[in-house]
Amino acid sequence: MSNTPAAPPSTAAAHEERLLIDGELRGAADGATFEVLNPADGTVLGTVADAGQDDMRAAIAAARRAFDETEWAVDHAFRKRCLTQLLDALIEEKEALREELIAEVGAPRMLTYSAQLEDPLKKFQWHIDEIDRFEWVRRIDDAVSRAGEPTERWVLKEAVGVVSAITPWNFPFGLMIVKLAGALAAGNTVVAKPAPETPWNATRIGRLVAERTDIPAGVVNLVTTSDRDTAELLLTDPRVDMVTFTGSTVTGQRVLECAAPTFKRTMLELGGKSASVILDDADLTQAIPAALGALAHSGQGCALPTRLLVQRGVYDQVVAGLTQAFQHAPWGDPAEPGTLAGPIISARQRDRVADYIRVGQEEGAKLAAGGNVPDRPGFWIEPTLFVDVDNASTIAQEEIFGPVLTVTPFDTDDEAITLANASRYGLSGYVQSASRERALRIARAIRTGTFMINGGSYSGGDAPFGGYKASGIGREGGREGFEAFTETKTIGSALPLPLA
């Protein structure tokens, strides 16, 4: 049970428009704002503060001061109490968060009961508990100094420092929560910047930090901005020690370029074009419905199974089943409980997806279902199925981030492995098979950071998530992700130290 401060003056249902900088909820210094749109109908939901460079510099300065001058980094019990207060407050406002995510993200309601909202709260709790479990200090074998004196040797884990956390628009709350949980539980201070398309779930977190917790001023700063130069201060300012970023591979390359001159640690979770393999012994009554996972959140997920590889012996049966399934896929109003695929986040992204569909047809893939841009308010693409797709084609190689599934036949297990690995990405993978041996061989041979066999789930606060190759650097979540937010210090002492 936490020591939660008195009830907040703000109402849970209100959208938070203010920045959180150095413990103060305020607007941008110049009063600028930008609009937040509802992707389901294109209407303006409201506005949020549009920070400028002076605001961002103030946030970075606050985070630097809080790390250098407070006990946040070293007082584990205090951190645990404060983060428990924040989790309690988030849970109290969970239903308001749910409606907010449906409105500003276009997240289907069903997904808010898992990856968009409920699962991240569980992951937050895991990170709080990890404060007590983590091995902050360990003693290694004693040594002898050059003077012949016995020497104790210790390995200490310490917070990295100031962390900039930059999140995308597709799963904004979940990704922000995991970054904040890991960074803060490890003792860092944070300047967080959400995507401008989906800012309100993050600014709500900022309000709760300010009003419902004892987190010291400057430890958490939430800054919304539509300006690229302002955002890039998080990558270039020498007062920032680490960048954790989730987004496209192209932007990830930019993060590395900007962070390199000041040698910032980087944790990057980037794009994916995950292959799902259906072997000829698979249970198709499970495998075909599972392939509809490519449509979850209208395909706007980096680890979704958007590239389907099907063994030739069952290829025609799978294509027929998928064609019918796509024609009847539950898409539309994200507020409806049965919707799997809602809107595309923006007009720009919708047009990008539509262009990929055009390219797919031009390159010879067979359009089996969908492919249209509905004439309706908001930003929409029909669930789209391409079959007989060349694995080297544009739509099989590039991350579309829309409700588009490509299907490619193969003959042997070895060919499936080759096709799956013939990608610049390596985020996730999937296989459906009745054989444990075949499934495991494929899971181990495909070069990805995560893998699912017959629909099994790896997700959880204790599970590291990240990719190989152009899908990123490092892991988020789990022991590996927690440790990534720490530095390692090794001490040798001829004096007995009170570190046990």
Side-chain angles (χ1 to χ4, degrees), residues 34-37 39 104-105 168-169 194-200 345-346 348:
F34 61 87
E35 294 179 339
V36 181
L37 301 184
E104 71 169 338
V105 184
W169 44 257
E197 293 87 351
T198 55
W200 280 344
I345 189 64
S346 65
R348 178 183 178 185

Side-chain angles (χ1 to χ4, degrees), residues 249-483:
T249 295
V250 170
T251 306
Q253 291 172 325
R254 177 64 179 170
V255 170
L256 289 173
E257 291 169 2
C258 292
T262 50
F263 296 94
K264 300 187 194 310
R265 179 178 299 186
T266 55
M267 181 189 298
L268 306 178
E269 194 268 282
L270 306 176
K273 190 69 178 181
S274 301
S276 179
V277 178
I278 298 179
L279 298 180
D280 55 10
D281 62 352
D283 180 350
L284 299 187
T285 65
Q286 295 182 9
I288 291 173
L292 288 177
L295 299 180
H297 195 23
S298 279
Q300 297 169 116
C302 51
L304 295 177
T306 54
R307 186 165 54 112
L308 188 65
L309 309 177
V310 183
Q311 200 149 24
R312 207 172 295 276
V314 294
Y315 183 78
D316 291 343
Q317 189 176 351
V318 170
V319 167
L322 279 175
T323 301
Q324 185 175 20
F326 265 64
Q327 290 169 347
H328 297 91
W331 67 283
D333 184 357
E336 291 296 322
T339 297
L340 176 64
I344 303 298
I345 189 64
S346 65
R348 178 183 178 185
Q349 180 63 17
R350 175 202 60 199
D351 294 346
R352 180 176 180 272
V353 175
D355 190 56
Y356 272 116
I357 293 172
R358 176 187 57 78
V359 169
Q361 293 175 286
E362 290 176 351
E363 291 186 353
K366 179 181 177 182
L367 182 63
N372 298 312
V373 178
D375 183 14
R376 59 188 290 182
F379 317 122
W380 299 89
I381 295 283
E382 286 182 347
T384 299
L385 177 67
F386 280 104
V387 301
D388 302 342
V389 177
D390 184 341
N391 193 62
S393 67
T394 300
I395 59 172
Q397 288 297 310
E398 297 189 13
E399 186 178 44
I400 297 174
F401 239 56
V404 180
L405 175 65
T406 67
V407 187
T408 300
F410 68 89
D411 291 306
T412 67
D413 292 13
D414 285 341
E415 184 185 3
I417 293 167
T418 298
L419 292 172
N421 284 332
S423 169
R424 67 185 299 220
Y425 298 111
L427 189 56
S428 196
Y430 306 73
V431 67
Q432 293 276 346
S433 174
S435 167
R436 291 180 299 178
E437 291 75 20
R438 293 177 75 190
L440 181 59
R441 177 173 179 262
I442 285 175
R444 299 189 73 166
I446 292 178
R447 301 283 293 167
T448 60
T450 59
F451 208 91
M452 297 173 68
I453 297 174
N454 286 11
S457 174
Y458 53 78
S459 182
D462 56 351
F465 179 79
Y468 293 8
K469 301 187 284 187
S471 288
I473 298 172
R475 293 296 180 270
E476 210 159 48
R479 182 60 58 87
E480 291 81 355
F482 193 97
E483 190 168 12

